[in-house]
Amino acid sequence: MPIIGGVVGYFSANHLADQSDETGAQARNLGLYGARAIRFVRNVDSEHDVTGKVKDAAGSVWQRSKQLNEEHDITGKAKDVVLASVAKASELNERYHVTDRAAAAVSTGLSRLAQTLENSRPSEPAPAPKPPTKLDDQNAGPAEN
């Protein structure tokens, strides 16, 4: 996916740089700054061998970690800790039914939430009264003063 983004970005920048307006000028300037930055980084790297030093340091760290692991069996101990933790968690779950209780609590909570939502639903509004008709006015009789 990054390759596709790079290709799209390249063609978009190229299109903008071809514009003869202010946007094109800014895109060309941005390209020049990018090229200068790349040249600067390459010069610093060739002068100080930064990538070589980083590569050597990473290799040294890897070799030292392998050596420590061989001496102290770090990965074996970590594996033992994980397996013991899983076994203990399983034992505690069997004894105290943690997952059953958690599932019951979630179920109860969701039931109560559904009940609360059901009870808070507004009831159907009463129908609006019908407007009086002329016939209703005639049946009402004489108006009292």
Side-chain angles (χ1 to χ4, degrees), residues 90-111:
S90 180
E91 177 187 327
L92 290 173
N93 185 46
E94 285 181 25
R95 180 181 295 166
Y96 298 109
H97 308 285
V98 176
T99 55
D100 295 338
R101 290 179 180 185
V106 168
S107 178
T108 301
L110 290 176
S111 295

Side-chain angles (χ1 to χ4, degrees), residues 18-84:
D18 287 342
Q19 302 295 317
S20 60
D21 59 358
E22 182 67 25
T23 304
Q26 290 176 353
R28 287 187 293 279
N29 284 336
L30 183 61
L32 290 173
Y33 289 130
R36 287 180 188 153
I38 290 171
R39 265 195 307 270
F40 174 76
V41 169
R42 284 184 180 159
N43 288 338
V44 168
D45 182 47
S46 66
E47 189 174 322
H48 299 285
D49 191 29
V50 175
T51 54
K53 291 176 181 175
V54 168
K55 180 180 173 185
D56 291 344
S60 295
V61 167
W62 178 250
Q63 289 303 318
R64 181 67 179 141
S65 66
K66 284 175 46 178
Q67 180 186 1
L68 286 172
N69 186 46
E70 288 173 7
E71 291 173 9
H72 302 287
D73 191 28
I74 296 169
T75 54
K77 290 176 181 175
K79 178 182 172 186
D80 292 344
V81 167
V82 169
L83 291 175

